Amino acid sequence: LTGAAETRPHVRVLRDGAEVAGGDLPIQAAARSGAEVRDFSLELVFEDGTIRHLLGNAAPIRDGERTVGSLGAFLDVTSWRRAEERDRAAAARDGFRLRLADAVRPLSDPGEISATASRLLASFLAADRVGYGEVRGDEVIAADDFHVRGLVPAAGRHRISDYGPVVAAEMRAGRTIVVHDVAATGAD
């Protein structure tokens, strides 16, 4: 990772999202400082976008009092990190479902239930808009939606074709739709 540019692997080394300079890598730091480096976490980001998480230690090699090099050992903990992320995401979803159930349990009005659920879901997803609508023929009848300040409400009747071909096909198939970039949908 610190050799000549032409022989170096095409990988970026990060720690907590920030690039790590070659001289600050654990093996180099242990050789330079003469001190052990323990429990050092690294992310390797390859050209194809693959990310591997490493955890390791490095220790100086001494000849008497003089440091003559260093040695490091690293463990690929990618699967462990991914399992932790899945567990955190599952716990967050469970917490959301509990908050949602608690919020809508006392409600009886369908509009109130939809509005409350949309507001809570928008907050959970950090979404600009969440709404509920029913597809009837070539139209969507949208209930009041939750939207951030500055967006126009989407409530009312809308032609399915106005949502663009991809979203329209998903609506006709009765699937839940998540749109990350409305401009990319081809919507009118």
Side-chain angles (χ1 to χ4, degrees):
L1 297 175
T2 60
E6 61 275 0
T7 61
R8 218 176 307 149
H10 299 285
V11 62
R12 291 177 47 228
V13 182
L14 307 176
R15 183 168 194 193
D16 299 324
E19 194 117 16
V20 179
D24 294 331
L25 293 168
I27 294 172
Q28 288 76 2
R32 185 179 61 252
S33 69
E36 288 187 6
V37 177
R38 299 186 89 32
D39 299 324
F40 198 93
S41 293
L42 292 172
E43 299 91 41
L44 302 181
V45 182
F46 294 89
E47 284 183 322
D48 67 357
T50 301
I51 299 174
R52 304 301 300 179
H53 297 274
L54 303 180
L55 178 65
N57 299 317
I61 299 172
R62 297 190 198 323
D63 182 7
E65 294 295 314
R66 192 170 70 96
T67 299
V68 294
S70 62
L71 176 67
F74 289 84
L75 180 63
D76 186 333
V77 294
T78 304
S79 59
W80 176 60
R81 287 283 179 92
R82 288 183 182 148
E84 283 182 330
E85 290 168 9
R86 281 190 303 271
D87 289 349
R88 275 192 298 275
R93 286 189 304 273
D94 288 346
F96 167 72
R97 284 191 287 266
L98 285 172
R99 287 188 304 279
L100 177 62
D102 289 345
V104 299
R105 186 177 299 111
L107 305 178
S108 59
D109 177 66
E112 220 180 323
I113 292 169
S114 175
T116 300
S118 294
R119 178 180 48 78
L120 290 172
L121 184 58
S123 175
F124 178 69
L125 298 175
D128 290 341
R129 178 187 308 274
V130 172
Y132 172 78
E134 292 183 36
V135 176
R136 294 187 189 156
D138 283 337
E139 283 189 323
V140 174
I141 292 87
D144 287 335
D145 65 329
F146 172 84
H147 54 278
V148 295
R149 187 175 312 205
L151 291 181
V152 176
R157 294 173 104 72
H158 306 277
R159 293 185 319 227
I160 288 179
S161 60
D162 289 345
Y163 289 91
V166 173
V167 173
E170 293 297 298
M171 284 183 188
R172 286 187 180 102
R175 291 192 270 277
T176 299
I177 301 163
V178 176
V179 177
H180 296 283
D181 182 2
V182 174
T185 65
D188 291 339

